[in-house]
């Protein structure tokens, strides 16, 4: 056994260790990455044969957090790790997005990368290291790969950048980014911000890139120790057929150009594309079609892509006829679903989101319980990409990874404008009804409108825009496109999604498809994006300029108050009978959470009178008399020396005969009878004995 290690020294003195040769040695590549007590194992395996029936890289990235890593046992009935959590899926997407562009063209062998969390240290989040682990395993394998790369998480706290933070540090950050890059180029960025400037974002990316370069150098040193000669397989997947490609180009180029110039909508354009390809296939022999159909389909996509890029660069004409900065037509509507707590319909061109807001209590929080974290989200967003939005027919089998990723981006765009003192749990649901580019940004816009329609006093409304880039690698000429279509995303060199308010950026997601994107181009794109999202924001504010002052009549009302911890059990009652009866009597929902020696009571209902009734019932149970307060009390018994009054159930005080009226009384019954309700003031509590006065509330001249 030959164990090989390499170390990465961070600027703050912490160390990352790369190790191979000890475990999982039958994989094509395996590496353990350790920082603090967080340890990840990454393995990579490649298939023997190319998959002839596909025209894409069959790459599988799998990330799993073992519960044992955090000293936990899985909850639920089945005591083993099950389906992926949303957090695991989001980490897979971060790794996949930075690796996928770096494999050779027309390489179709299956590749499976598995990353497992073996040990967890709360001061080092594992998703910080997943990209590094995957790249290191690929680098020491013999798989063709234009790496190494790495990913780091960078945050900013009080103008200080921190690389690969712990979970507690995230709570204090105003920038939280994951940056993936090669030594020469940024490939992927994703994160959230608290209304920062474009320059702040660029500085964070530059700072992250410095540490990425250190991690790439370490991977190259590791490779030199493992295999100083070569680590690259011979690529044998070149099945080009220049003859059929030239025939297709000659047949389709002019026809495609004519379609382009018509400035059609998405569906008509797609139908024309399909018809041209169909005509070509009908023009060749059945034998040739049978042998070359997959290759023909690939060539057709390449021809379309190159033709459209050339037209945009040379003529400045986009597929739908817009200028490079022009935003598609926008129309918005709020309160479009009268039965929900808040709703909005946002349409930009052929992309449309219908978004709803549902308000709930603390019982409705989104509970996160995975290997490294137990948390509760009071604000969460679900994104649904419906098949009819692109005129498709497909079965709906659960939530796709894409839907989880897009929903997370929209949630991060909005989460920091939600006031922290909102008592409600807020669930946002975006259904995509039409899609032709950037449905996640439509979700952000629709969600802002719906939150304002619901009466949620967000700090500032948020809008979003997707930006594209087409660059000529030979001449260096480029065009940055605002509000890109789906086809423009496909043919372009960059997909940049930016969200922000009037005060600054709140989130971003960027995928670069080329090497060597300059920071000057990125800066230009960010400022052009700002023009675009502010334009969209103004359109939104024409529909609803500010949050509604009040909640909808059908929205639940919440009242919260604290009780002493010792009374929690009394309110709940044996087997929950007391609290259940209060809920039944008042048609409310009641929850009690223990925190800091207090019971935080939350009552949710639709009628204020019923909520008040529930509050009074609970306060009677937890009644604590206070000296100097005035109470409405009931006469329970009468003695020669005075009367005993019930202030609350089970709590009585003495109203001495001398405290009933200013004049001297012979008998208590001259003024009071059992069952009378009177106002009294609490004078004193001595060893648990309560002394009351009635006369102190009565003017002496009466």
């Amino acid at each position: 056994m030959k164990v090989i290690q390499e170390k990465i020294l961070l600027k703050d003195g912490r160390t990352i260790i790369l190790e191979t040769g000890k475990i999982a040695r039958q994989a094509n590549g395996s590496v353990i990455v350790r920082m603090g007590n967080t340890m990840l194992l990454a393995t990579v395996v490649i298939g023997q044969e190319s998959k002839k029936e596909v025209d894409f890289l069959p790459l599988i990235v799998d990330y799993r957090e073992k519960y044992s890593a955090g000293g936990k046992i899985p909850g639920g009935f089945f005591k083993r790790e099950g389906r992926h959590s949303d957090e695991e899926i989001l980490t897979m997407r971060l790794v996949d997005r930075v690796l996928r562009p770096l494999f050779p063209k027309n390489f179709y062998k299956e590749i499976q990368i598995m990353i497992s969390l073996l040990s967890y240290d709360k001061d080092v989040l594992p998703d910080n290291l997943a990209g590094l682990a995957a790249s290191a395993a690929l680098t020491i394998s013999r798989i063709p790969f234009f790496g190494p790369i790495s990913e780091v998480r960078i945050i900013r706290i009080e103008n200080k950048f921190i690389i690969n933070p712990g979970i507690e540090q995230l709570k204090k950050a105003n920038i939280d980014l994951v940056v993936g890059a090669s030594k020469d180029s940024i490939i992927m960025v994703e994160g959230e911000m608290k209304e920062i400037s474009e320059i702040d974002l660029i500085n964070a990316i530059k700072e992250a890139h410095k540490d990425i370069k250190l991690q790439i150098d370490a991977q190259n040193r590791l490779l030199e120790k493992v295999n100083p000669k070569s680590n690259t397989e011979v690529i044998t997947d070149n099945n080009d057929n220049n003859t059929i490609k030239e025939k297709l180009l000659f047949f389709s180029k002019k026809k495609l150009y004519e379609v382009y110039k018509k400035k059609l909508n998405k569906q008509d354009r797609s139908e024309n594309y399909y018809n041209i390809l169909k005509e070509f296939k009908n023009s060749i022999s059945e034998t040739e079609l049978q042998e070359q159909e997959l290759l023909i389909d690939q060539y057709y996509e390449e021809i379309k892509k190159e033709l459209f890029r050339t037209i945009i660069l040379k003529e400045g004409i986009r597929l739908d006829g817009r200028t490079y900065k022009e935003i598609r037509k926008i129309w918005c509507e709020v309160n479009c679903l009268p039965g929900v707590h808040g709703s909005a319909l946002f349409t930009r061109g052929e992309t449309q989101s219908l978004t709803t807001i549902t308000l709930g209590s603390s019982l409705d929080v989104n509970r996160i319980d995975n290997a490294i974290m137990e948390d509760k989200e009071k604000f969460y967003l679900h994104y649904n990409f419906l098949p009819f939005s692109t005129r498709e027919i497909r079965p709906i089998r659960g939530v796709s990874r894409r839907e989880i990723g897009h929903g997370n981006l929209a949630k991060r765009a909005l989460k920091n404008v939600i006031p922290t003192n909102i008592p409600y749990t807020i669930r946002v649901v975006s259904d995509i009804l039409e899609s032709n580019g950037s449905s996640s940004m439509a979700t952000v816009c629709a969600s802002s409108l719906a939150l304002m329609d619901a009466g949620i006093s967000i700090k500032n409304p948020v809008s979003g825009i997707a930006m594209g880039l087409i660059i000529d690698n030979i001449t260096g000429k480029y065009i940055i496109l605002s509000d890109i279509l789906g086809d423009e995303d496909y043919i372009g060199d960059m997909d940049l999604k930016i969200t922000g308010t009037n005060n600054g950026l709140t989130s971003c997601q960027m995928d670069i498809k080329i090497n060597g994107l300059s920071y000057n181009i990125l800066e230009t794109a960010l400022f052009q994006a700002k023009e675009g999202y502010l334009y969209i924001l103004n359109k939104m504010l024409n529909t609803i300029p500010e949050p509604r002052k009040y909640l909808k009549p059908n929205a639940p009302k919440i009242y919260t108050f604290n009780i002493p911890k010792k009374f929690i059990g009394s309110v709940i009652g044996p087997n929950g009978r007391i609290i259940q009866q209060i809920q039944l009597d008042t048609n409310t929902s009641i929850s009690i959470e223990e925190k800091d020696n207090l019971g935080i009571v939350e009552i949710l209902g639709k009628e204020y009178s019923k909520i008040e009734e529930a509050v009074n019932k609970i306060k009677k149970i937890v009644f604590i008399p206070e000296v100097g307060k005035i109470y409405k009390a009931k006469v329970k018994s009468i003695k020669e020396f005075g009367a005993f009054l019930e202030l609350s159930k089970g709590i009585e005080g003495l109203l001495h005969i001398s405290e009933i009226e200013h004049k001297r009384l012979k008998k208590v019954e001259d003024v009071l009878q059992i069952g009378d309700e009177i106002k009294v003031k609490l004078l004193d509590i001595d060893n648990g004995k309560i002394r009351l006065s009635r006369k102190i509330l009565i003017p002496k001249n009466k």
Side-chain angles (χ1 to χ4, degrees):
M1 183 181 294
K2 183 183 178 183
V3 179
I4 300 171
Q5 283 192 349
E6 190 58 57
K7 293 184 178 180
I8 304 164
L9 182 63
L10 301 183
K11 285 177 286 189
D12 59 7
R14 294 179 297 165
T15 300
I16 301 174
I17 299 173
L18 307 179
E19 180 182 284
T20 189
K22 187 174 182 179
I23 62 175
R25 290 172 293 162
Q26 293 194 44
N28 291 89
S30 74
V31 170
I32 288 179
V33 175
R34 177 169 183 169
M35 183 175 178
N37 287 332
T38 293
M39 295 175 64
L40 294 174
L41 167 65
T43 61
V44 57
V45 174
I46 187 170
Q48 295 293 324
E49 301 292 334
S50 295
K51 295 182 76 69
K52 303 297 183 184
E53 68 278 8
V54 301
D55 60 354
F56 59 89
L57 174 68
L59 171 67
I60 301 170
V61 176
D62 187 278
Y63 171 77
R64 292 182 183 270
E65 295 176 345
K66 295 182 178 296
Y67 276 75
S68 58
K72 296 175 66 177
I73 295 174
F77 184 77
F78 295 102
K79 297 301 179 184
R80 67 182 301 161
E81 286 82 359
R83 68 181 182 87
H84 292 106
S85 68
D86 285 4
E87 291 71 32
E88 288 171 321
I89 289 171
L90 293 170
T91 301
M92 291 180 217
R93 283 175 55 84
L94 288 173
V95 175
D96 186 290
R97 283 165 46 206
V98 75
L99 291 179
R100 190 171 289 275
L102 299 177
F103 289 92
K105 181 184 176 183
N106 298 333
F107 185 71
Y108 301 136
K109 287 187 178 181
E110 282 187 295
I111 300 172
Q112 184 172 40
I113 299 169
M114 298 190 69
I115 310 164
S116 301
L117 174 64
L118 304 181
S119 176
Y120 172 58
D121 179 341
K122 64 180 177 62
D123 293 327
V124 183
L125 289 169
D127 57 353
N128 301 344
L129 304 171
L132 169 62
S135 174
L138 273 168
T139 298
I140 65 170
S141 72
R142 297 186 66 247
I143 298 169
F145 165 58
F146 303 135
I149 57 89
S150 193
E151 292 179 336
V152 299
R153 191 168 194 166
I154 184 168
I155 66 171
R156 189 179 69 177
I157 301 176
E158 296 178 353
N159 294 320
K160 180 183 178 182
F161 288 115
I162 299 171
I163 295 293
N164 292 356
I167 199 164
E168 291 302 316
Q169 291 174 308
L170 289 181
K171 299 174 183 177
K172 306 172 187 175
N174 60 9
I175 297 178
D176 176 12
L177 292 178
V178 175
V179 180
S182 65
K183 195 157 190 176
D184 302 319
S185 180
I186 300 298
I187 303 170
M188 187 277 302
V189 179
E190 180 159 328
E192 64 185 69
M193 298 78 76
K194 294 182 178 178
E195 298 180 290
I196 67 165
S197 72
E198 288 74 15
I199 298 301
D200 286 342
L201 175 59
I202 291 174
N203 288 338
I205 295 172
K206 287 181 177 179
E207 193 68 26
H209 201 185
K210 294 177 185 177
D211 282 83
I212 287 172
K213 290 176 182 178
L214 296 177
Q215 297 180 14
I216 289 171
D217 289 340
Q219 292 177 68
N220 285 325
R221 293 195 302 270
L222 183 70
L223 172 61
E224 187 66 24
K225 291 178 180 179
V226 172
N227 187 350
K229 294 181 180 179
S230 171
N231 77 313
T232 305
E233 278 193 341
V234 176
I235 302 171
T236 59
D237 286 347
N238 189 349
N239 298 316
D240 284 347
N241 185 324
N242 290 329
T243 302
I244 196 73
K245 186 174 185 179
E246 288 173 5
K247 285 170 66 175
L248 178 59
L249 178 61
F250 179 78
F251 181 90
S252 63
K253 183 175 180 180
K254 185 176 180 181
K255 297 177 186 292
L256 286 170
Y257 185 77
E258 289 172 354
V259 172
Y260 193 108
K261 299 289 281 186
K262 290 178 182 177
K263 304 171 187 176
L264 302 172
N265 62 35
K266 177 183 177 181
Q267 294 302 334
D268 290 341
R269 194 164 57 243
S270 297
E271 189 174 333
N272 276 262
Y273 295 159
Y274 172 78
N275 289 335
I276 294 170
L277 182 59
K278 184 179 178 181
E279 285 177 28
F280 176 77
K281 289 180 178 180
N282 289 336
S283 71
I284 62 177
S285 68
E286 288 189 16
T287 302
E288 192 174 20
L289 177 61
Q290 190 173 3
E291 292 175 353
Q292 305 291 340
E293 185 167 19
L294 184 60
L295 210 52
I296 290 169
D297 291 340
Q298 293 176 26
Y299 288 151
Y300 190 58
E301 293 304 314
E302 291 175 12
I303 290 167
K304 282 197 303 179
K305 184 174 182 179
E306 288 307 313
L307 176 63
F308 296 163
R309 287 171 60 89
T310 301
I311 295 172
I312 291 174
L313 282 168
K314 286 186 176 180
E315 301 184 23
I317 301 172
R318 298 173 68 174
L319 285 165
D320 57 359
R322 286 180 291 146
T323 63
Y324 70 99
K325 281 189 177 184
E326 191 176 348
I327 311 297
R328 289 172 286 177
K329 290 184 179 179
I330 294 170
W331 65 270
C332 317
E333 181 183 345
V334 296
N335 196 30
C336 43
L337 301 175
V340 303
H341 301 157
S343 61
L345 189 64
F346 177 86
T347 306
R348 185 188 58 240
E350 296 172 288
T351 298
Q352 185 178 73
S353 168
L354 175 63
T355 296
T356 60
I357 306 295
T358 307
L359 305 179
S361 70
S362 58
L363 297 173
D364 300 304
V365 295
N366 184 35
R367 299 182 186 278
I368 300 172
D369 185 6
N370 55 39
I372 67 172
M373 185 189 307
E374 292 181 22
D375 201 1
K376 299 174 183 177
E377 286 184 327
K378 290 190 68 177
F379 172 76
Y380 50 98
L381 188 151
H382 293 152
Y383 166 100
N384 300 314
F385 191 80
L386 304 168
F388 59 78
S389 66
T390 52
R391 202 179 288 180
E392 291 181 273
I393 298 173
R394 58 176 168 82
I396 299 176
R397 297 190 179 102
V399 183
S400 70
R401 295 185 181 187
R402 180 180 183 274
E403 287 173 308
I404 290 171
H406 279 33
N408 182 65
L409 174 62
K411 182 190 79 172
R412 298 182 85 173
L414 294 160
K415 62 181 283 192
N416 289 314
V417 300
I418 304 295
T420 55
N421 61 351
I422 292 288
Y424 293 97
T425 294
I426 303 173
R427 181 186 184 227
V428 185
V429 178
S430 171
D431 289 323
I432 301 305
L433 307 183
E434 296 180 37
S435 179
N436 185 14
S438 191
S439 55
S440 61
M441 297 297 94
T443 293
V444 171
C445 298
S447 299
S448 279
L449 292 168
L451 285 164
M452 292 194 287
D453 179 56
I456 302 300
S457 54
I458 57 176
K459 297 174 185 176
N460 291 298
V462 182
S463 68
I465 190 170
M467 307 293 293
L469 169 71
I470 296 177
I471 186 168
D472 187 322
N473 292 324
I474 298 174
T475 65
K477 180 181 179 181
Y478 67 89
I479 290 182
I480 296 170
L481 305 176
S482 296
D483 182 25
I484 55 175
L485 304 171
D487 284 347
E488 291 174 333
D489 181 10
Y490 172 70
I491 68 173
D493 298 315
M494 176 184 73
D495 178 18
L496 170 63
K497 297 182 176 73
I498 286 290
T499 70
T501 69
N502 279 318
N503 294 334
L505 306 179
T506 63
S507 76
C508 79
Q509 183 184 88
M510 181 172 69
D511 292 297
I512 306 297
K513 306 170 190 177
I514 56 170
N515 289 324
L517 178 71
S518 71
Y519 283 105
N520 287 336
I521 294 177
L522 177 57
E523 183 175 335
T524 303
L526 286 172
F527 280 102
Q528 187 172 318
K530 182 176 183 178
E531 291 179 29
Y533 78 68
L534 290 177
Y535 171 84
I536 295 169
L537 185 59
N538 287 331
K539 291 286 187 180
M540 292 163 54
L541 295 179
N542 287 337
T543 302
I544 180 169
E546 60 183 15
R548 298 190 191 279
K549 301 298 183 185
Y550 303 101
L551 302 179
K552 300 288 183 67
N554 61 334
K557 285 75 181 174
I558 286 183
Y559 181 80
T560 59
F561 63 100
N562 300 333
I563 63 173
K565 176 182 174 181
K566 64 181 180 179
F567 285 109
I568 294 176
S570 302
V571 174
I572 294 173
N575 298 318
R577 284 198 294 269
I578 293 176
I579 196 169
Q580 288 172 12
Q581 189 61 49
I582 296 173
Q583 291 179 115
L584 185 64
D585 292 342
T586 61
N587 194 27
T588 58
S589 175
I590 303 172
S591 65
I592 305 177
E593 181 183 6
E594 182 183 325
K595 188 175 182 180
D596 299 331
N597 290 318
L598 291 173
I600 301 173
V601 181
E602 182 183 86
I603 304 176
L604 181 142
K606 290 190 175 181
E607 299 179 36
Y608 285 115
S609 60
K610 293 292 186 180
I611 293 175
E612 187 177 9
E613 183 182 345
V615 170
N616 291 335
K617 286 178 179 287
I618 292 173
K619 285 187 173 180
K620 283 184 179 180
I621 297 172
V622 300
F623 179 77
I624 301 174
E626 296 181 39
V627 174
K629 278 203 166 186
I630 298 170
Y631 297 98
K632 188 176 183 180
K634 187 175 184 179
V635 179
K636 295 293 288 184
S637 63
I638 294 177
K639 307 294 182 182
E640 290 184 5
F641 52 84
F644 284 96
L645 276 59
E646 185 180 61
L647 301 177
S648 185
K649 188 174 182 180
I651 299 177
E652 295 184 1
L654 174 63
L655 178 62
H656 193 268
I657 192 170
S658 63
E659 293 292 337
I660 296 176
E661 290 196 341
H662 292 290
K663 64 182 181 181
R664 184 181 180 86
L665 296 178
K666 293 182 179 180
K667 294 169 58 179
V668 174
E669 290 87 345
D670 290 343
V671 178
L672 300 177
Q673 303 295 323
I674 293 175
D676 287 352
E677 290 187 348
I678 60 172
K679 287 185 177 181
V680 291
K681 186 173 184 177
L682 199 156
L683 298 178
D684 188 29
I685 302 175
D686 186 14
N687 291 324
K689 295 180 180 179
I690 299 171
R691 190 160 63 88
L692 306 170
S693 174
R694 175 175 177 266
K695 73 179 184 182
I696 200 171
L697 302 176
I698 303 172
K700 286 187 177 182
N701 57 355
K702 288 191 178 180

